[in-house]
Amino acid sequence: MMECCQPGILDEVPPVARYLTFAIKNNNLVKAGMSALSDLVDGVYTVCGIGQTLVLALSKKVPGLGSFPASDGAGFAIPSTPAALWFWLKGTDRGDLLHRSRAIERRLAPAFHLSHCVDAFKYKTGFDLSGYEDGTENPQGQAAVDAAIVQGIGVDLDGSSFVAVQLWVHDLDLFEQLSETEQDNTIGRRKRDNQEIENAPLCAHVKRAAQESFQPEAFILRRSMPWAAGQGAGLVFVAFGKSHAAFESILTRMTGAEDGKADALFKFTQPITGSYYWCPPLLNNRLNLSILGF
Ligand code: HEM
């Protein structure tokens, strides 16, 4: 089973990464452009996802893939920004990432054009730029596979994964003005020792997102990484799932749609993109795109 998912999904986040988003430039060339894809993606250092716009352009269907739901809440909006292709380039050297992304761009032209590119990095041992450890409650080992990878559905889908990607922009000035207790109550964990605060407010992020509190339980495999460019900084939130259901349940509760209590995170950070992709499985170390007719 595990041999056929893109292993980079399960691996730890790398020291540096680059996320590329492509849009379709020429519908007539999309089929030809797809043949380059398998050469470009090893699934280990380059993880790739395919969006609904591309699936539809190929007149195909990937069961479980749809478009990211836009929504809103008190004082914030969650946008949906669909795209055709998503790449997560993992590495240790920013220069290499630049050259690898240029090579991908060249190979995918003229069918696709790069619509968004962001450089990301690991902060300390895996912290968010707010100063809190990120990923503590991620499922591990077999539990991670069970949360993130499609199994037992059928050939050509087994080994695949559904990923949700959002670019969040932090207002670090605002966050830094909060007292340490206010910051801790925003996240629901103590910055000092990463301990969960049992009596944290209901709007604290980990209270909203507690995976076991959902019915059914909503486990996702988060592989988010901080980003910074110019004056801007934040988190590229990346969550893999065996479907989009768990992510969607958590996000809905975060907006306050269920009980009017929006996640306290929104006070200092907001998403400016939101997309869903299907990450194809590997067959003999190459992307298995049979479901799309390749
Ligand atoms: C900028 C945005 C976000 C930041 C800074 C952030 C940060 C954090 C931090 C610091 C934790 C605690 C440690 C951990 O268990 O990882 C956490 C937990 C978690 N977050 Fe987020 N998060 C963000 C967005 C989201 C979104 C959009 C979702 C899903 C829709 C989400 C889902 C979760 C889950 C499932 C947990 C673990 C909860 C549990 O079971 O205890 N996060 N996040």
Side-chain angles (χ1 to χ4, degrees):
M1 163 70 241
M2 271 184 55
E3 297 90 298
C4 64
C5 77
Q6 295 184 53
I9 294 172
L10 300 174
D11 294 342
E12 289 298 312
V13 298
V16 289
R18 197 166 162 95
Y19 297 96
L20 311 177
T21 311
F22 286 85
I24 295 173
K25 191 171 182 187
N26 185 336
N27 261 302
N28 298 325
L29 300 174
V30 158
K31 273 198 174 146
M34 289 297 286
S35 61
L37 201 58
S38 292
D39 298 337
L40 295 169
V41 177
D42 63 0
V44 179
Y45 298 106
T46 305
V47 172
C48 134
I50 293 173
Q52 176 77 335
T53 56
L54 176 51
V55 173
L56 292 176
L58 295 166
S59 308
K60 297 289 180 192
K61 190 171 166 24
V62 173
L65 180 66
S67 40
F68 190 98
S71 59
D72 49 26
F76 59 86
I78 299 176
S80 171
T81 56
L85 279 169
W86 172 77
F87 291 84
W88 177 23
L89 308 188
K90 306 172 73 170
T92 52
D93 183 315
R94 271 189 77 174
D96 282 345
L97 291 178
L98 174 94
H99 291 300
R100 283 167 56 198
S101 74
R102 282 173 51 80
I104 291 176
E105 221 182 318
R106 261 197 313 274
R107 274 297 297 278
L108 291 178
F112 301 95
H113 74 93
L114 186 64
S115 52
H116 196 253
C117 172
V118 60
D119 278 305
F121 52 91
K122 190 180 216 171
Y123 175 41
K124 299 182 181 169
T125 50
F127 281 55
D128 174 65
L129 291 170
S130 57
Y132 288 81
E133 257 186 77
D134 194 11
T136 312
E137 290 295 336
N138 252 337
Q140 306 290 332
Q142 187 58 39
V145 176
D146 292 345
I149 309 297
V150 176
Q151 302 170 74
I153 299 290
V155 275
D156 303 335
L157 261 185
D158 283 356
S160 66
S161 183
F162 293 87
V163 67
V165 185
Q166 291 178 297
L167 189 85
W168 289 72
V169 181
H170 289 1
D171 186 338
L172 289 173
D173 287 337
L174 195 150
F175 195 69
E176 285 157 7
Q177 279 162 20
L178 302 176
S179 69
E180 188 156 327
T181 307
E182 286 169 325
Q183 292 187 355
D184 288 353
N185 282 335
T186 302
I187 301 296
R189 283 185 177 269
R190 279 201 304 260
K191 189 186 266 185
R192 186 161 36 90
D193 56 9
N194 195 30
Q195 284 308 304
E196 194 168 343
I197 304 167
E198 286 310 326
N199 58 351
L202 279 176
C203 62
H205 179 51
V206 301
K207 292 281 182 217
R208 297 277 87 192
Q211 296 160 105
E212 283 161 352
S213 70
F214 291 84
Q215 195 55 254
E217 291 181 339
F219 283 99
I220 51 176
L221 185 64
R222 287 168 293 136
R223 288 291 185 251
S224 311
M225 295 181 75
W227 67 273
Q231 311 276 82
L235 188 74
V236 186
F237 177 84
V238 175
F240 293 94
K242 58 179 187 258
S243 79
H244 285 306
F247 167 80
E248 241 170 80
S249 304
I250 300 169
L251 190 65
T252 303
R253 188 174 289 171
M254 285 173 66
T255 65
E258 291 173 0
D259 56 4
K261 292 193 191 334
D263 198 305
L265 274 184
F266 288 107
K267 289 187 189 149
F268 86 95
T269 184
Q270 304 227 349
I272 60 165
T273 71
S275 334
Y276 279 167
Y277 305 94
W278 174 68
C279 303
L282 296 185
L283 186 64
N284 301 327
N285 297 321
R286 286 177 69 81
L287 286 181
N288 177 3
L289 301 172
S290 311
I291 207 166
L292 300 176
F294 295 92

